[in-house]
Amino acid sequence: PGLWLCLSLGSAASLSPSCLSAQFRRPGDFLLGGLFPFGKDPVNVSARSEPTLLRCHRLFLDGLIWALGMRFAIEQINNSSSLLPGITLGYDMYDTCFEPLVALQPSLLFLTRKGTTGIGVLCNYTEYQPRVTAVIGPHKSDLCLVTAKLFSSFLIPQVSYGASSETLSNTGLYPSFYRTVPSDKNLVEAVVLLLNQFGWNWVATVGSDDEYGRGAQALFLSMVGTDNICIAFEGLIPTELAEPNARKQLEDTVKLINSTKVNVVVLFAHSLSAQALLEHSIRMGLGKKVWIGTEAWMLSDIAESTPNIQSIGTVLGFVMRTGTVPGFEEYVAELFSSAGQEEFCRQARELSLGMNAEVLDTQCPQCDHVTLRDVWPMLRVTTVQPVHVAVYSVAHALHRALGCTSKGCPKTPIRSWQLLHFMNTLPFEVNGQSFKFDQSHSTNTGYKLIFWAWKDGTLTYLPVGDYDQSLYVRKSQIQFHTADKKEPTSECFRRCQPGQFRRIKGFNLCCYDCTDCSENTFWSSTDSTRCSPCPRHLWAPARSTRCQPRTERFLSWHEPLAVALLTLVALTATLSCGTALLFLRHLRSPLVQLAGGARALLGLLCLLLQSLSCGLYVGRPSGALCSLQQLSYALCLNGCFSTMVPKALEIALLTEFPRCAPRLLRWVTHSRAWLLVAASLLTQAVLCCCHLRLGPDYLVADYESLPSEVLLVCGTQSWAAFALLHGYNSCLAFACFLCTFMVQTPGRRYNVARGITFATFIYFVIWIFFVVIFATLRTVLRAVTQICTILATTLGILASYFVPKCYILVFRPELNTWDYCQNPKEEEAE
């Protein structure tokens, strides 16, 4: 349906759509098509309800102002001496009624071949000349998704002044579609930044059930997931409020919002749907919330026409940053003033006579008699600049395509598709401001953050922030609905403290418990859902935000345990030295000779060195120290046992093999006994070399055993080499044990065999416990275990073999006689 401009004479000049304008149809060298929402679908208008008629009136006023903005821009261009000089732009404007099918009717008319009413069906439209050169509009994304496909097929430039759907950014599907507003993607990015800046991560989102609401909400839902913002509720509200189930749908939406306990609601909707939701929120006692809105309803007359609107809480929203159009308000006032003059009507009738009958259509009698008083308030909230810029974008492209100069433009035919190159690549100026279409054919001028400020019942749209890729908010200027006028919180649960991670409860990502990070894990990022493990060379205490370097752990010299062990080592060494000195003093006495004489001194020396070797296990270990520990212990112990072997063999020969004893005793007594000792030590030395060859102990940095330290211990590389090294000593001890454990104690004689038996028995008992503990321990106690084993073995041999003899030498010297210390051989000889 076409829109006519008519004159209704009365006391005040008014524009009546009942005969509305031939003034909205002007011929010219190049014709522009305009699609504006002047009213409602004229079919069955009489059956519409009162809200529908109010909507018709409101949309008509918006559409009328946008249409006047287009006409104003065209008249400026036609009167310009620099832009398209000598060229006149004409226009045809049609009512879309916000209906896709209705918008298709004028769109098809625009596509007809110039001078005809038919559309050519061609394979190549290069030379095709449609009725219009370019199309301005429509306003809504729903309509543009329909018309853009149509105009893109013919590559006719279409510039919308309000369609913001991100779908239209696809230049592959819509190559000839442009818009002088930012896409919804920019708007949603601004909303997400606002939520993050105030720490609101538990919100509800509501959209109108149309392309704008669904598209913006879908974009919002896709973006908030990466910003730790959780959606407590998402829903759609009807756009057709006259539908039977619209009221119930709105009530259900309010109930669901209330059940989520959110304090922030993001509303992507057009003005009437938004107003209906806010009215139901007030009526149902939803409570005060923070409402985050958009230009689609923020600047409408909702605040003025909704009772008790202040009770909804705080309203913040983003509106497109636009400039004013100089002279437009004066132009509108002059137009309404001239509408009361006969000359205006005469021109309208003349233009009507020149129009084809098929381009004139039905009118909207319910939207009659619009006065300047009706339009004037809407001029302050209806943004005209996008329409103005849309017309100028086509004019500048046409100027460049024609090759115009300051003197004039050549009268050459231009095809619509030839304008696209200039619209894509070149910036243009409007009222001193530069504009340029980006890669998605949009103009992103940024947004202003608006706050509904109330003072004495009067609403002021207070700018409190700006968004242009980054958001700046003047928080001090925002007075929230809370008691202290500060921003409310909107969280499912509190924010976790540093060193805590979120343990999700249930199915909603924003409902969680805060759990401390365990040892050796740290809090890696804000609102993380898990703690990150520390690298192996670092550690962290519980509830930590970073890892720290591990300290080295070993048995250090200043530790109390090490000091106690070293004290025991000193006592053992002192006992060994004291015993050796006592034996040296009584070296020729019968008792010392019975114990082995000089060989006993060698055994005591080995026990002294063995006890001193405990120092190898204290302090920071190294690879060399680890190799030396087992070797020193094995050699020293072997030296001690080697001195006992001749005596054990001598006893065995005298007691078990008396017939063979006379000829064999010379190999185990006197100087030849030293050959046995030397052979035993040489054998042990060879086994030590084999141990080094097969796999000596090595330094191990253990990161697992201790939570905050790296344990430095000596690890066993080859258990076979370990068994070979210490197995020989075990064999010597076992041989000594077998040779002496069955020997009976002679009457009134000292039993030297019993000392060897107990010494070797203690050795075996200690080593059974040592091997079991040593194979399983991986702490600093491993070194302690080895020290204790060495000391226990040393003290066991001293206590069982040497100390009883010392007791006799010191306290019972009368027993130190050849008679008491007689060998079994001598006893038999008697």
Side-chain angles (χ1 to χ4, degrees), residues 280-328:
H280 278 76
S281 301
I282 296 169
R283 182 176 60 82
M284 297 174 66
L286 178 62
K288 293 186 176 183
K289 308 286 183 186
V290 176
W291 294 85
I292 298 179
T294 64
E295 190 170 8
W297 64 271
M298 280 287 297
L299 300 181
S300 68
D301 58 350
I302 287 179
E304 298 176 0
S305 58
T306 305
N308 201 23
I309 188 66
Q310 295 185 50
S311 65
I312 65 171
T314 304
V315 179
L316 291 167
F318 290 96
V319 299
M320 189 173 60
R321 189 189 295 130
T322 58
T324 59
V325 179
F328 179 65

Side-chain angles (χ1 to χ4, degrees), residues 700-712:
V700 177
D702 183 4
Y703 295 93
E704 305 298 331
S705 299
L706 301 177
S708 61
E709 299 167 310
V710 51
L711 178 63
L712 299 180

Side-chain angles (χ1 to χ4, degrees), residues 170 192 214 232 293 307 315 374 397 478 486 494 513 628 633 635 649 657 786 798 803 810 822:
N170 189 336
V192 171
R214 290 190 300 268
V315 179
D374 300 320
I478 304 175
K486 294 183 179 180
R494 63 182 175 84
D513 287 328
L628 190 59
Y633 177 42
L635 280 171
L649 291 174
F657 307 100
Q786 294 183 83
L798 286 172
V803 170
V810 175
Q822 190 178 23

